[in-house]
Amino acid sequence: MFHPFRVFVRLPGFHKRMGNENPGRCHGLNYDAPLGLFDAPAIQTCDQSRRPADTVTHPLEAGDATPIDFSSRVAYKRSQTNRNTHKRSIVLAIAYNQRTHRCGELRRADEGKAVILAGWVNSSRDHGGLTFVDLRDHTGLVQLRFNPDHVKAAHEQAKTLHNEDVITVTGTVVSRGEWANPKLSTGEIEIEVDAVDILSRSDPLPFQINDEFDAGEELQLRYRFLHLRRPEMQRIFRMRHGIARAIREYFHANGFAEIETPCLTKSTPEGARDYLVPSRVQPGSFFALPQSPQIFKQLFMIAGFDRYAQIVRCFRDEDLRADRQPEFTQLDMEMAFVQADDVMAEVEGCVQRIFNTVMNIDVPVPFPRISEHEAMNRFGVDRPDTRYDLELQDVTDLVRDIDFRVFREPIEAGGVVKCLLARGGDKLTRKVTDGLAEEVKGIGGGGLPLVKVTSTGTGVEFTTGVSKYLQPIRDRICEQLGAEPGDVIFFMPGTFADVCKYLHLVRTRLASILSLIPKDRWNLLWVVDFPLVMWNEDEQRWDSTHHPFTAPRDEDIALMDSDPGKVLSKAYDLVLNGTEMAGGSIRIHQRDIQQKVFSLLGISPEEALRKFEFLLDALRFGAPPHGGIAFGLDRWVMMLAGCDSLREVIAFPKTQRAICPLTGAPTPVAQSQLDELFLALKPPPGKAKP
RNA sequence: GGGGCCGUAGCUCAAUUGGUUAGAGUACCGGACUGUCGAUCCGGAUGUUGCGGGUUCGAAUCCCGUCGGCCUCGCCA
């Protein structure tokens, strides 16, 4: 017994012969459009008027799908007035555009349903008789059963299928009974196929989609469209969409407007290197792609938009890392008439919404806050990972008087000695601790003095490393740190900044080596009270910690002349599990303060005018107090999807040398294109000849 | 620009550390098989060991250079 059999009729070459108007229709019949439901083994066609009286029924071999020659039987009227008829061969095809379900949707409850499915051949198992094909689309897999005793023609076609062929089938959902596969969500059922259409054949693949391991990353990117077919990739990009959607819905619901800012804009040599775009109309001049829409969003505030949020592409021509791509996406947001607390509260709401919709997790708000100085002091970094303790502890006063040059000299030079207490660190092998010391040296440190705390039966003893120097203060150290036998103490002498840098490295390494990082923890926190400026030793000048438009704290403005390094700003960073996820600030909305900051940064009034005239102008004409923040959207996706690299969460990313293996971009261009732009190329610097 | 790891069949990886004809799985081709689900079984084809040079009786293996990928420091207001 056959179920209703949905087909559509193609009239090969018909529309061509009719000329090029309305290729999708001919004589009232939709080309490639379904004519209706038909009961196999008979099939019906109809004429242009589609009057039931004109319907012709044709016998159809069970399961036959393509091609069937109806040329001797089917007549179409050219028009109502012209009774001339002409004959066509008709190809019966499964109406893939009328898919009844997606592959991963079918369940036991659907048993008995007639379905039309379409997708990719994930794998096939040919038993000579029965042949099974796993059909895949973005929703999952479903097993197709081709039985020669059921429909021979379909079975014959199934035997020719290869991985990644695109097919559409029609058949019945049947229970798999004792052959159910618990590994598949659709494993309780399968499709008994009546007919299959092979919509597109696949060549042998450069790598397997259904493989357990990944191809090399460069190959993945070269054939990214194949790699993206993998279920894991589909998951990531659907999650990415979910995050973007949650963000848009949140901001829409809270009165923010999404307004686009230009991609072709003005180069600002501060900060990152710009990507440049030559102007044809203005020979010799260049646009820059935006590093961020920072100034434009401030202009929106000055324009009175009050609340703006945009998901926007940004470009920075700097060296790449696992977490840095030359083009990346920011959630950019700005609000007027606000203090820092207001921006942070808005962000907390948005982040809460993201976690809610995408991860189904409730994150508590408000997020804890920590000052930049406290973060550095306790964790050695301004983006602390608070999922585990292992905090830095200051032992400067304890070790000040002992006879150990390595500690004494840095202290006399105004530095500090800090340490990390690794609980159960005695299981670290010499190889591991030596490796840590090497890593510290690798970023400029001198080494990694350490002691092991061991039990003597009556008390504790320091062994190995620098223990002999520390014996005099052994008990006081143990008391202050709470050290116990089995622990290892890592010391670090030096300037405050150096000690932070090295111990932060050691801390993060130890956390992973000692498995201190709890799973499924999402520790969000705000880092606040950043210094407004930092001294740049190389250039002998003050640099902005955040950017030049960040407002100093009101109470610190007076310090700007006397002690700029002490001035704190109204900046805030959002940190998740030790990664900086967003950074923002309250902006300067008063022209005199903006100029004061420029002058502190060594930007002359003339230079400021040349670079930022439009902003300074805007500040002249009634700028409201405002502030905002920018999220690294890619990083959020990376963190929430559990990826190790930004490349995994960007559809078509660049390699470390900023090349797209898929398109080959960037490429040289024709001389004529250069001529149009009045550009001449210099040869790249040649290699020194031997 | 610096440091590190890597490059062997279409793909993922071996090759007893310098030794005979560079192997396996998968994909591909042919065959068998009516309940598989990483199907199985039988057979077949598949290599500029990234490229160039050097050392050696002999190089995938050692050395130099180079290209490419990844990690990282610098850089990323």
Side-chain angles (χ1 to χ4, degrees), chain A residues 594-614:
Chain A
Q594 184 65 71
Q595 283 191 327
K596 206 168 166 123
V597 170
F598 281 150
S599 94
L600 175 58
L601 296 174
I603 301 173
S604 69
E606 299 73 32
E607 193 181 357
L609 209 57
R610 194 166 65 244
K611 286 174 178 165
F612 305 113
E613 184 179 7
F614 46 101

Side-chain angles (χ1 to χ4, degrees), chain A residues 450-452 462-468:
Chain A
L450 61 87
V451 296
K452 287 191 177 185
F462 281 176
T463 58
T464 73
V466 297
S467 54
K468 69 173 177 178

Side-chain angles (χ1 to χ4, degrees), chain A residues 192-388:
Chain A
E192 178 156 70
V193 176
D194 298 328
V196 54
D197 268 0
I198 297 163
L199 303 176
S200 178
R201 295 275 193 188
S202 170
D203 277 348
L205 297 149
F207 53 85
Q208 294 304 303
I209 310 301
N210 57 10
D211 216 332
E212 61 179 307
F213 26 50
D214 272 346
E217 196 171 344
E218 198 182 5
L219 202 70
Q220 293 174 19
L221 298 184
R222 169 73 184 80
Y223 296 97
R224 187 63 160 176
F225 47 89
L226 291 180
H227 191 241
L228 292 174
R229 278 185 200 163
R230 290 185 167 216
E232 170 63 8
M233 289 291 107
Q234 298 272 325
R235 179 188 77 88
I236 290 170
F237 284 94
R238 294 201 179 257
M239 176 182 267
R240 186 176 177 122
H241 165 71
I243 292 170
R245 181 181 158 182
I247 288 170
R248 284 209 166 94
E249 285 175 350
Y250 178 85
F251 282 109
H252 170 69
N254 287 278
F256 287 78
E258 180 157 11
I259 314 173
E260 290 144 282
T261 48
C263 272
L264 295 175
T265 183
K266 182 176 175 175
S267 176
T268 51
E270 280 81 19
R273 206 172 285 117
D274 284 323
Y275 275 98
L276 295 177
V277 179
S279 163
R280 174 182 60 82
V281 184
Q282 302 290 329
S285 287
F286 294 82
F287 295 103
L289 304 181
Q291 296 173 25
S292 80
Q294 177 61 36
I295 293 179
F296 290 110
K297 68 176 173 178
Q298 291 190 241
L299 297 181
F300 283 148
M301 295 307 104
I302 294 167
F305 281 105
D306 200 74
R307 292 184 154 212
Y308 143 94
Q310 183 188 193
I311 292 178
V312 62
R313 195 64 58 86
C314 303
F315 306 86
R316 292 179 190 174
D317 185 8
E318 294 293 345
D319 286 357
L320 282 72
R321 290 282 192 284
D323 61 351
R324 268 165 32 195
Q325 281 276 304
E327 59 178 308
F328 57 99
T329 306
Q330 277 190 351
L331 164 67
D332 196 48
M333 182 266 257
E334 197 79 5
M335 304 162 73
F337 303 108
V338 289
Q339 297 284 8
D341 287 351
D342 304 303
V343 179
M344 288 190 263
E346 211 64 59
V347 170
E348 284 162 353
C350 179
V351 168
Q352 205 171 30
R353 173 114 177 200
I354 293 171
F355 273 93
N356 233 308
T357 52
V358 178
M359 311 290 290
N360 201 21
I361 288 173
D362 281 320
V363 291
V365 294
F367 307 149
R369 296 185 193 183
I370 185 174
S371 75
E372 185 264 359
H373 183 263
E374 187 185 347
M376 295 301 289
N377 203 33
R378 288 171 55 193
F379 302 98
V381 70
D382 62 3
R383 45 180 171 83
D385 188 341
T386 57
R387 286 176 297 174
Y388 53 97

